[in-house]
Amino acid sequence: MTQVQQLDSSLERAVEAYDLASQKLDRVRNDLKANHAQLRIAKQSLHRAQKTLSARLVSLYTTDGQNNSLEVLLGATSLDDLVNRFDTANRISSQDTRVLGQVVKFNNEVKAREVRLKHAKAEAASLVRERAAQRSSIQSQLSARQSLLSSIRGQIAHLQAQEAVRQAQLRSELTARLHAQQLQAPAEALTSAVSPIAASSSSGSIGLAPPPTHSSVVAIAERYLGVPYRWGGASPSGFDCSGLTMYVFSQVGVSLPHNAAAQYGMGAPVSRDQLQPGDLVFFDGLGHVGIYVGGGSFIHAPHTGDVVKISSMTGWYASTYVGGRRI
């Protein structure tokens, strides 16, 4: 079982890396789409400016009989040389200068955008390879874990039966705790309204109180107990750890990234002895996240083959605990 836990920890890290790479790839694809549109506009502008310039050059050639105009047209070796020759010969009007300037500008813009597009495509290709490598790593780890589990299937079945009984008991305790909190809330609100100053001065400072949405966060998370774990999942059809917290908090109007380490950068830090229901709790070097429900327990999506469940912050979770955040 220790080996299973270690494999699950490695798998969780690979899944979180996959989620982060997916977000990066989405951003690159959006940049590519915008760059394609801008490149198309620049090329159209360049085409129009070139047509205007061509018409003007034909007009100069056919209407002007002076030899130096012919020399300017036939002697030019490049666009820049043509502009310089026209400037030197002083053969074009301010309108001609503006048209030439537009051709040069749009030509440079097309070249610059083509370079950026090339780099963006290379970055996108790199991200695709990265994601494919992560997928391969996940599948490999899954195979190893499934092979290990099959060798101890009988023991696992017995442990699962015990866990089902424990989960039912924990869920019953959580429901009772939520009900008690709902009954206690009106009394606390009345007390704070009557003597707000006394409440804050008793400890010398105003503490970091949980926002009113926190009580509903736990109730929302409880609805998804039993939903299967699915790596990359962020919906009731399946969750990974950060997908569950992101989905639950989105229902109270709070936007979280789909990555445990990124979620750790949100909100404010909370010491373990000050945790309140609805706080986020992090484990395993920020490779795992859950929602604290009180009583030293939390709701989370543990790993492949498991379901959203309530676990105690003891044993492995206590030894790998990183910290809590109040969003």
Side-chain angles (χ1 to χ4, degrees), residues 53 57 72-73 75-92 96-105:
L53 176 61
L57 292 176
V72 167
L73 289 172
T77 59
S78 66
L79 180 61
D80 290 339
D81 187 30
L82 180 62
V83 174
N84 293 333
R85 284 171 174 267
F86 267 99
D87 287 339
T88 303
N90 195 24
R91 294 294 302 150
I92 58 176
D96 298 325
T97 304
R98 186 172 65 254
V99 172
L100 281 169
Q102 289 175 345
V103 172
V104 173
K105 172 189 172 184

Side-chain angles (χ1 to χ4, degrees), residues 28 39 51 63 81 109 119 121 124 145-146 166 173 218 220 230 249 256 258 280 289 319 327:
V28 169
L39 181 58
K51 286 183 64 177
T63 60
D81 187 30
E109 183 177 350
H119 290 165
K121 285 181 178 178
R145 194 175 71 86
Q146 288 166 350
R166 194 176 73 90
E173 291 174 357
V218 176
I220 292 169
R230 181 169 65 85
F249 271 86
L256 295 178
H258 193 172
L280 292 180
V289 61
S319 66
I327 305 300

Side-chain angles (χ1 to χ4, degrees), residues 8-209:
D8 286 332
S9 174
S10 298
L11 182 58
E12 185 73 24
R13 290 176 182 273
V15 169
E16 290 299 301
Y18 172 87
D19 291 339
L20 190 60
S22 296
Q23 292 179 356
K24 289 181 180 178
L25 184 56
D26 287 341
R27 287 196 298 270
V28 169
R29 283 173 173 165
N30 289 334
D31 290 343
L32 279 172
K33 185 177 180 180
N35 213 340
H36 272 299
Q38 293 298 325
L39 181 58
R40 185 171 60 254
I41 293 171
K43 285 184 175 179
Q44 290 171 350
S45 299
L46 174 60
H47 181 65
R48 286 195 298 269
Q50 286 174 329
K51 286 183 64 177
T52 302
L53 176 61
S54 297
R56 178 58 179 161
L57 292 176
V58 170
S59 175
L60 283 173
Y61 179 70
T62 57
T63 60
D64 191 89
Q66 299 184 31
N67 290 334
N68 56 349
S69 295
L70 184 60
E71 292 173 357
V72 167
L73 289 172
L74 299 181
T77 59
S78 66
L79 180 61
D80 290 339
D81 187 30
L82 180 62
V83 174
N84 293 333
R85 284 171 174 267
F86 267 99
D87 287 339
T88 303
N90 195 24
R91 294 294 302 150
I92 58 176
S93 65
S94 59
Q95 179 182 3
D96 298 325
T97 304
R98 186 172 65 254
V99 172
L100 281 169
Q102 289 175 345
V103 172
V104 173
K105 172 189 172 184
F106 292 133
N107 188 52
N108 290 338
E109 183 177 350
V110 167
K111 291 179 180 178
R113 287 196 174 277
E114 285 177 338
V115 169
R116 288 198 295 269
L117 195 59
K118 181 179 179 180
H119 290 165
K121 285 181 178 178
E123 183 180 356
S126 175
L127 285 172
V128 169
R129 289 192 297 271
E130 178 185 348
R131 194 167 74 166
Q134 288 160 359
R135 182 188 296 271
S136 176
S137 172
I138 289 169
Q139 296 298 341
S140 174
Q141 292 177 68
L142 270 173
S143 297
R145 194 175 71 86
Q146 288 166 350
S147 175
L148 176 61
L149 287 176
S150 65
S151 68
I152 53 173
R153 192 174 301 277
Q155 297 176 50
I156 292 296
H158 178 67
L159 290 172
Q160 286 176 332
Q162 291 182 327
E163 178 65 11
V165 173
R166 194 176 73 90
Q167 282 295 307
Q169 180 181 353
L170 288 171
R171 185 166 188 168
S172 177
E173 291 174 357
L174 176 59
T175 301
R177 191 182 301 118
L178 289 173
H179 181 66
Q181 289 173 353
Q182 291 171 353
L183 294 178
Q184 187 179 3
E188 290 180 346
L190 178 61
T191 301
S192 61
V194 171
S195 56
I197 297 178
S200 63
S201 62
S202 61
S203 62
S205 63
I206 299 176
L208 180 66

Side-chain angles (χ1 to χ4, degrees), residues 249-271:
F249 271 86
S250 70
Q251 295 185 62
V252 294
V254 178
S255 177
L256 295 178
H258 193 172
N259 179 263
Q263 289 181 8
Y264 191 72
M266 310 287 286
V270 183
S271 61

